Amino acid sequence: MGLISNRLNRIAPSPTVSITDMALNMKAAGRKVIGLAAGEPDFDTPQHIKDAAIAAMQAGKTKYTQVDGIPELKAAVCRKFARENNMECTPDMISVGTGGKQILFNALMASLNPEDEVIIPTPYWVSFAGIVELCEAKPIFVHGSGANPMKISADDLEAAITPNSKWLILNSPSNPGGVGYNSDDILAFAEVMRRNPHLHLISDDIYEHLVYDDFRFTTMATVAPDLQDRILTVNGVSKSYFMTGWRIGYGSGPVPLIKAMAKVQSQSTSSPNSIAQYAAIAALDGPLDFINENRAAFARRRQIVCDALNDIDGIDCPRPDGAFYVYPSIAGLIGRKRPDGQVIKTDSDFVSYLLEAGEVAVVPGVAFGLSPYFRISYAAADDVLLDALRRIAKVTASLS
Ligand code: GLU
């Protein structure tokens, strides 16, 4: 009998986190690696948010807090949902955790039994599947059957539902595909949910503010309020407010689920960081103008990255609706040979070669359940991106 549990042995470490670590270690060893693996904005947290944290520290707000968030932050989250999403919430419907990831973990841990199935559209963020597996339930991956393989339809969803389906996890705009589901798409999913009353929804809205062109963000609890007691709406301050390291995420859902999530949190991490909670209030109640300014930078980078990748023979890069990732297909590179004679058979082969020969760290599509693709996080400075794109073009050109 080994030391490590079967439960843990069944899952892989988060590839987004482990590739980022690998790139950081290579950098520390003096290699000039460009890390485009982590989904993390390069912008610094705005000053008014840092000031709120400093003020909280100086006021002695440095103790444990209520296990799933201070009342002031829960009230700010309710204001945010009312103001930005036209969603009516009360503080007992709100849970605050150590990042959106912990909210997801708590919800799945609180609700899943081994026979339960969780429907996850591909390509999916790595931890959706990992957390479901840690909870010993079954991820059911759904591929888009239409023109866009990264976007599922209501029919695709309906075909995946069984009597054991407990949750659908919908992330729009999505990581890694940048796919946005508009209100018509979401209303069609709502119809499917009405026909299947045992199905619940986790709506992961973390990229809400990072949308481009004419895509308009919306969420199920806004357009189908009749389903609100079957929806957990998850969000956080990490991506929109450039606060990844502060670790504050939150969710709004049915009271019995929120209470069960607090129980999970009480037996694991306890309250989220007290100082970061006060900073999150300043973020949610504060201005959004810096998000709009930085959204323009993301939109410009998206253009630069898509154009440069589409100029490379063998790479096809769809233009995402939101978030800060591109997810290009490398179907055209599969079967090509490296100068040392090794054949690129998979997206992992390509990504390893890119790291070795070009010193650019990206994540292979296999991690997200749709191959052969890879993910670039373009939340990096323009000159860093241009350098990375030159390296990708050079490495790709070396394949024959
Ligand atoms: N969500 C980000 C990503 O996909 C951060 C790393 C992680 O937690 O996966 O890169």
Side-chain angles (χ1 to χ4, degrees), residues 9 39 46 93 120 155 177 182-183 290 378 380 383:
N9 278 333
M93 294 165 64
I120 303 177
D155 289 343
N182 63 26
S183 55
F290 65 92
Y378 59 80
D383 56 331

Side-chain angles (χ1 to χ4, degrees), residues 14-18 20 36-40 101 124-127 175-176 204 206-207 238-239 244 247 324-325 363 368 375 377:
S14 160
T16 47
V17 174
S18 51
T20 304
L36 302 179
E40 173 164 65
K101 200 183 250 185
Y124 53 82
W125 176 51
V126 295
S127 292
N175 171 9
D204 178 351
I206 195 81
Y207 298 102
S238 292
K239 315 284 186 185
T244 44
R247 310 310 302 132
F324 40 60
Y325 310 101
V363 188
F368 306 100
R375 186 190 81 172
S377 165

Side-chain angles (χ1 to χ4, degrees), residues 348-364:
S348 297
D349 290 348
F350 176 71
V351 163
S352 306
Y353 179 49
L354 186 58
L355 187 57
E356 218 174 280
E359 301 192 315
V360 178
V362 298
V363 188

Side-chain angles (χ1 to χ4, degrees), residues 64-75 77 91-98 102-103 106 248-251 255-266 269-272 277:
Y64 292 132
T65 74
Q66 286 87 341
V67 70
D68 64 350
I70 53 175
E72 298 92 317
L73 177 52
K74 290 189 177 188
V77 170
D92 56 349
M93 294 165 64
I94 304 299
S95 180
V96 179
T98 301
Q102 191 184 25
I103 296 294
N106 290 348
I248 295 292
Y250 55 86
V255 174
L257 176 68
I258 295 297
K259 281 194 177 142
M261 289 164 62
K263 192 163 149 188
V264 176
Q265 195 150 296
S266 77
T269 56
S270 272
S271 58
Q277 290 189 68

Side-chain angles (χ1 to χ4, degrees), residues 204-235:
D204 178 351
D205 296 354
I206 195 81
Y207 298 102
E208 165 176 22
H209 289 294
L210 301 170
V211 296
Y212 313 110
D213 302 335
D214 51 5
F215 179 75
R216 295 282 164 272
F217 171 84
T218 190
T219 189
M220 180 82 84
T222 302
V223 295
D226 57 307
L227 297 175
Q228 203 170 358
D229 63 354
R230 289 162 56 197
I231 301 171
L232 179 70
T233 304
V234 179
N235 212 321

